[in-house]
Amino acid sequence: TYELILIVTPGHVDFGYEVSRALAACEGALLVVDASQGVEAQTLANLYQAIEADLEGIPVINKIDLISARPDEVAEEIATLLGVPKEGIIRISAKEGTNVEAVLEAIVDQVPPPSGDDAAPLRALIFDSHYDSYKGVIAYVRVMEGKIGATDMLRLMATGVELKPVEIGIFTPGMTPSASLSAGEVGYIATGLKTVQECRVGDTITQAGHPASQPLPGYRKAKPMVFAGIFPVENDDYDNLKEALEKLQLNDASLVFEPEISQALNFGFRCGFLGTFHMEIIQERLEREYDLDIVVTAPTVEYEVVMRSGEVVHINSPAELPDEGLIEEIREPWMKIEILTPTEFYGTVMDIATKHRANFLGQDYPTPNRVQLVFELPLSQLIVDFFDQLKARTRGYASLDYQFSEYRKDDLVKLEILVNDEPVDAFASIVHRDDAYHKGQAIISKLKDVIPRQLFAVPIQASAAGRVISRANVKALRKDVLAKCYGGDITRKKKLLEKQKRGKRRMKMVGNVEIPQEAFLTVLRYGED
């Protein structure tokens, strides 16, 4: 009789840290590959993580029941990749239950049993957590060494928080209370803590009375990479939006937010996310679960600004960028990206990468008909439309994985949009000097159509590096002042036209242009072009 504990990990690259902690809690990994899709970039990335964690890998081909399945080709890919005989790769259909017993037998045969000394000082790895209204934060743990009793005083080594468990137990697969957890076991600890920030994934739990000398390796604080403003369409929903974000943060320690005021969109929040996929999840949840109508501004990244004084400032909003005369240089985050694609799309991928300021690093052929291309790319280019273009132009066959490389100096400028000579903060962005004209022109073209006409001409300008790079005018509404002139000398008509011209000049000096909410929705709705 065997007891198997299975941990399922999220596959998306935004949650790579959570995957690494789940792998650190295991002795083996199942490499499940889709029989119709084959090996993808994220599969490779997670495979390399499993190899680094020194786990026993068992390759499995799933979905062999599909009409489009090509198990023989996929087996060849996996065999080439792992250096294993293709005949030994298990082929299953999880939907129909075909050959699933063979997977369980392979786990028993190939994966070593968990190790650990019950008598050693307690060290338990937190690999996941969630918030419960009654029991507080519930930490999912793998006990590496030592033993946890239901009445023990525990300490979190990274945050220093001490606690007495509300409940401890195991998953069967529901949460079942137990008296203790021993070395090698996986279970949960209901901590009673009120926020997941105090009980972070990757932290080590030890005994408060007899602590371990060293925490388990690999802990790091989740760092937001993508930032966006979230504003309620109706100002009355501000408190509801704040409450919804607070509730989401109870279960998601990687979501950060702070109040933000925009002269255009009023009160809202500046939010930090792990990536664009994480951002889309939060946006969907706010709209579906909390029934909120929101505006999400275009995503930006965190920049490092080196001042002439030598001070280094981190900014995640264009509005925070200091005056250009005080700045020595601006650095932006660069990512190392790996794209796995059929060889027929080699030229297409190269074209997309070149247009997004990518540097080519190298290539590899994991299988005869697939190529793995490695690039360096600014994160600001990656988060806008890179992935969408990649999927569209390769008909969905290319896959992408990325990881942070470094902050790098580049020729970056602040792009501002001025309406009637007044800058509008919601439209400001930090862009590469070469892209400033095209982006400014695109925003101006949209605004020209959505800003209502006034009694005077309204100039819309794009400004970068202290000079105007693009301009358009919203034509003035013309009032026919000559309508009452049904006779008389021409000088009378000229006099009326001159009087109108003087009035329009005076109106332009004192007049304000009200930009309607629809204009902001048109330009700022994330993902709409």
Side-chain angles (χ1 to χ4, degrees):
T1 302
Y2 298 99
E3 185 180 299
L4 305 181
I5 300 168
L6 309 177
I7 298 175
V8 183
T9 65
H12 198 274
V13 64
D14 281 3
F15 308 106
Y17 173 61
E18 283 81 351
V19 174
S20 75
R21 296 301 83 212
L23 290 172
C26 297
E27 269 70 35
L30 285 179
L31 181 71
V32 184
V33 179
D34 190 314
S36 60
Q37 295 283 342
V39 175
E40 298 194 46
Q42 287 168 11
T43 316
L44 277 180
N46 291 343
L47 169 64
Y48 295 147
Q49 283 203 46
I51 292 169
E52 279 175 28
D54 201 24
L55 301 188
E56 184 66 43
I58 301 172
V60 176
I61 299 172
N62 189 21
K63 301 187 183 178
I64 59 170
D65 57 296
L66 292 179
I67 298 170
S68 58
R70 41 188 187 88
D72 293 337
E73 289 177 47
V74 174
E76 193 78 53
E77 281 183 23
I78 297 171
T80 310
L81 190 65
L82 295 178
V84 296
K86 62 180 182 181
E87 297 78 22
I89 299 171
I90 305 165
R91 304 180 185 195
I92 68 165
S93 166
K95 179 182 175 184
E96 296 179 352
T98 310
N99 220 17
V100 173
E101 297 86 355
V103 179
L104 299 176
E105 288 296 332
I107 293 171
V108 171
D109 289 341
Q110 298 176 39
V111 177
S115 58
D117 182 5
D118 282 0
L122 172 65
R123 291 201 300 176
L125 173 70
I126 301 174
F127 63 86
D128 200 357
S129 64
H130 80 269
Y131 182 79
D132 182 275
S133 304
Y134 301 103
K135 299 174 185 175
V137 177
I138 295 179
Y140 298 15
V141 298
R142 155 72 198 271
V143 183
M144 298 297 189
E145 295 172 338
K147 196 172 183 179
I148 302 174
T151 57
D152 293 351
M153 278 298 290
L154 305 176
R155 179 185 298 159
L156 298 163
M157 296 186 80
T159 57
V161 175
E162 295 196 358
L163 59 100
K164 189 172 183 181
V166 176
E167 179 182 297
I168 65 171
I170 56 172
F171 300 102
T172 61
M175 293 195 295
T176 307
S178 65
S180 65
L181 291 173
S182 306
E185 286 192 315
V186 171
Y188 68 89
I189 300 172
T191 63
L193 299 173
K194 295 302 175 193
T195 64
V196 280
Q197 278 91 337
E198 296 173 295
C199 183
R200 291 185 177 273
V201 171
D203 203 348
T204 303
I205 293 180
T206 190
Q207 301 277 7
H210 306 284
S213 56
Q214 289 290 325
L216 295 163
Y219 170 75
R220 61 183 170 84
K221 204 171 172 181
K223 186 176 185 294
M225 297 299 293
V226 173
F227 296 84
I230 297 182
F231 296 86
V233 171
E234 300 293 334
N235 289 332
D236 295 346
D237 283 339
Y238 175 80
D239 289 332
N240 295 336
L241 176 59
K242 183 181 179 185
E243 191 179 320
L245 286 169
E246 285 171 349
K247 285 180 179 175
L248 288 177
Q249 200 179 44
L250 287 175
N251 274 310
D252 186 353
S254 53
L255 170 66
V256 296
F257 66 91
E258 57 184 27
E260 182 180 44
I261 301 172
S262 162
Q263 66 194 54
L265 299 168
N266 294 323
F267 295 97
F269 296 92
R270 191 84 190 158
C271 303
F273 311 95
L274 296 174
T276 47
F277 182 62
H278 185 212
M279 175 175 132
E280 285 165 14
I281 290 171
I282 298 297
Q283 183 182 346
E284 283 288 321
R285 291 189 68 183
L286 287 172
E287 289 174 342
R288 288 187 189 182
E289 294 177 26
Y290 298 96
D291 199 24
L292 290 168
D293 197 4
I294 55 175
V295 181
V296 180
T297 63
T300 62
V301 300
E302 186 173 70
Y303 294 90
E304 269 187 3
V305 180
V306 182
M307 311 295 286
R308 292 197 186 279
S309 61
E311 183 188 0
V312 178
V313 182
H314 288 83
I315 65 158
N316 55 52
S317 170
E320 297 173 2
L321 192 69
D323 187 77
E324 199 171 333
L326 303 172
I327 296 172
E328 183 69 37
E329 63 182 46
I330 304 175
R331 301 174 188 150
E332 66 176 336
W334 279 66
M335 313 300 281
K336 183 182 177 186
I337 69 168
E338 294 171 0
I339 297 172
L340 198 66
T341 177
T343 47
E344 65 188 277
F345 299 115
Y346 186 102
T348 302
V349 172
M350 280 292 190
D351 181 53
I352 296 168
T354 306
K355 286 178 178 173
H356 286 79
R357 293 168 44 212
N359 297 332
F360 178 66
L361 296 181
Q363 63 188 39
D364 191 19
Y365 288 86
T367 62
N369 61 344
R370 288 168 88 87
V371 60
Q372 182 183 6
L373 299 166
V374 184
F375 299 94
E376 281 182 321
L377 183 81
L379 179 58
S380 57
Q381 294 287 322
L382 186 68
I383 63 175
V384 182
D385 63 349
F386 185 88
F387 186 67
D388 292 341
Q389 281 197 31
L390 183 70
K391 283 292 183 186
R393 292 181 60 185
T394 61
R395 302 204 299 273
Y397 283 108
S399 56
L400 170 75
D401 184 73
Y402 57 86
Q403 59 192 53
F404 176 70
S405 176
E406 62 177 349
Y407 275 94
R408 193 176 298 175
K409 176 189 172 184
D410 220 327
D411 189 9
L412 303 169
V413 293
K414 182 179 180 181
L415 175 67
E416 285 192 297
I417 304 298
L418 294 88
V419 176
N420 200 28
D421 300 325
E422 290 289 325
V424 183
D425 61 347
F427 297 140
S429 57
I430 298 171
V431 297
H432 194 274
R433 196 181 294 272
D434 296 344
D435 299 333
Y437 173 76
H438 301 291
K439 183 159 185 185
Q441 185 68 41
I443 294 176
I444 282 175
S445 299
K446 281 184 181 179
L447 281 177
K448 188 163 72 86
D449 297 330
V450 292
I451 289 181
R453 290 168 70 184
Q454 312 289 320
L455 288 171
F456 54 91
V458 177
I460 310 170
Q461 299 163 307
S463 165
R467 65 188 184 89
V468 173
I469 56 173
S470 182
R471 174 187 171 121
N473 280 345
V474 178
K475 289 182 180 176
L477 282 171
R478 186 176 176 86
K479 183 180 177 184
D480 190 1
V481 292
L482 303 181
K484 58 188 177 183
C485 289
Y486 45 85
D489 191 72
I490 187 69
T491 54
R492 188 176 169 215
K493 293 182 179 179
K494 281 186 175 177
K495 198 167 146 187
L496 283 169
L497 289 170
E498 278 299 320
K499 187 179 176 185
Q500 183 188 39
K501 205 180 285 183
R502 285 198 304 274
K504 288 201 173 191
R505 270 202 300 269
R506 191 166 62 249
M507 191 184 287
K508 187 174 180 180
M509 287 167 61
V510 298
N512 283 326
V513 180
E514 286 283 324
I515 304 176
Q517 189 79 23
E518 294 74 39
F520 290 106
L521 295 180
T522 304
V523 179
L524 291 178
R525 281 279 192 202
Y526 167 61
E528 289 186 11
D529 194 20

